[in-house]
Amino acid sequence: MITNIKTPKFKLIQSIDILNSDINREVSLPHVDRMKKLILKNGFADAIKVSPSGSKFISIEGQHRVQALVSLGVKEIPCLIIDWVDSQNKVNEFQQFIIDLNASNKTWSIIDYIKSYAKVGDENYSYLLKKIREAKGLISAGAVASMYSGERRGNSILKKGDYFPCDEVFSDRIFSECLDLVSRCGKDKVTFRFINNLSVRIQRNSLSKRRVELLSFLVNEASKDLSMGREIPKSDEFFSSWFDELLRQFNEDK
């Protein structure tokens, strides 16, 4: 029988003493508005999970509810104090605790994970975040991540904090070529699935010394198809046959 399970202490804490954590996901104002409506309708039968930080407290789980309560004029917020997680000296452990606790509530997106690991100083994640911002919404965070991780979908390694670019220089080239294609043709025609498939297939292609040439050839052929009013692959099966046929043509031409 387990008898040493850690449990939090309950306390009413002044709202001004509850701070957000930099390594948690960013606050979503629409989600705060949803929380406000629910609180006005049902009351607040809950408690915010916090960690002590000097004379203040860091919200571990419930930052949207805190913002909603503050906007409704609540001065004291019911909290559960989790004092066994060190937010000051064990940042990685604290970050993983936040991810585990929050991911079971409102699902974290790829960009949430990337921003969180970038906040704790991981240079690989910081660079990936930089490229996502450069894409300015033309290419999704998941598609950019696939360019650099080589993972087909899901980015499980990235979510665990173990992301390392498979070939940053070549990934930069994929990013540049794809961003140019989307900018010219539109993201409704150059879909996430196409970019994802292209990135993974070409990262894994055995023609390592000619990958740059192959990339340019494929992007150029996609651009030609679109300019002539033809669709480029949107399904995995269609992409596979499209890629294999163009790879055959590329090898014959060389």
Side-chain angles (χ1 to χ4, degrees):
M1 181 177 179
I2 299 174
T3 58
N4 61 344
I5 296 176
K6 298 167 183 172
T7 56
K9 301 177 182 69
F10 177 82
K11 182 179 181 181
L12 286 172
I13 297 176
Q14 293 290 317
S15 59
I16 58 173
D17 291 333
I18 302 174
L19 310 175
N20 288 343
S21 170
D22 287 340
I23 59 178
N24 206 338
R25 60 185 159 204
E26 294 178 354
V27 170
S28 165
L29 293 181
H31 192 46
V32 171
D33 287 337
R34 286 194 291 273
M35 291 294 102
K36 285 172 63 176
K37 291 174 183 176
L38 288 171
I39 291 169
L40 286 171
K41 178 182 178 182
N42 303 312
F44 188 69
D46 202 350
I48 306 302
K49 299 176 182 69
V50 299
S51 173
S53 179
S55 62
K56 303 289 185 179
F57 296 86
I58 304 292
S59 62
I60 297 177
E61 188 262 345
Q63 59 181 0
H64 289 91
R65 280 167 286 161
V66 171
Q67 293 296 318
L69 289 167
V70 168
S71 69
L72 291 170
V74 176
K75 302 297 184 183
E76 286 189 326
I77 297 177
C79 295
L80 294 173
I81 301 175
I82 298 174
D83 56 9
W84 61 87
V85 181
D86 189 342
S87 62
Q88 303 299 305
N89 303 309
K90 295 183 179 180
V91 178
N92 291 336
E93 180 182 313
F94 182 61
Q95 178 194 36
Q96 191 58 54
F97 190 88
I98 286 179
I99 290 174
D100 289 345
L101 205 59
N102 283 269
S104 64
N105 184 7
K106 181 176 179 289
T107 304
W108 278 40
S109 66
I110 286 295
I111 192 68
D112 289 330
Y113 285 100
I114 294 170
K115 285 180 178 178
S116 182
Y117 287 115
K119 284 283 189 180
V120 297
D122 190 304
E123 293 181 359
N124 292 320
Y125 283 87
S126 295
Y127 187 76
L128 188 55
L129 181 59
K130 173 176 174 286
K131 303 308 289 186
I132 289 169
R133 286 172 173 163
E134 283 180 23
K136 297 179 179 178
L138 290 174
I139 302 176
S140 70
V144 175
S146 291
M147 294 177 189
Y148 288 84
S149 69
E151 282 195 87
R152 186 173 178 78
R153 292 189 191 103
N155 289 287
S156 57
I157 294 174
L158 185 147
K159 291 177 181 177
K160 293 176 182 177
D162 297 328
Y163 158 70
F164 189 85
C166 48
D167 185 335
E168 192 168 275
V169 174
F170 184 59
S171 296
D172 281 345
R173 185 63 180 261
I174 297 174
F175 176 84
S176 176
E177 294 264 13
C178 287
L179 184 57
D180 178 67
L181 181 64
V182 176
S183 298
R184 287 186 288 106
C185 302
K187 62 180 182 180
D188 57 323
K189 295 180 179 178
V190 187
T191 64
F192 158 81
R193 194 171 292 266
F194 174 82
I195 294 175
N196 180 276
N197 277 319
L198 178 66
S199 301
V200 174
R201 283 294 296 271
I202 203 160
Q203 284 281 21
R204 296 176 179 176
N205 195 274
S206 59
L207 301 171
S208 58
K209 294 182 179 179
R210 298 165 58 196
R211 286 190 303 175
V212 172
E213 296 173 64
L214 176 59
L215 172 64
S216 296
F217 175 74
L218 292 170
V219 171
N220 187 51
E221 289 300 311
S223 182
K224 283 181 185 177
D225 285 344
L226 291 171
S227 67
M228 296 176 70
R230 296 195 293 261
E231 283 193 346
I232 57 176
K234 292 183 178 179
S235 69
D236 294 346
E237 185 178 358
F238 183 16
F239 181 89
S240 184
S241 59
W242 179 86
F243 183 92
D244 291 342
E245 172 58 24
L246 288 178
L247 181 59
R248 183 189 64 76
Q249 293 178 25
F250 177 80
N251 287 328
E252 286 181 354
D253 290 343
K254 299 300 176 181

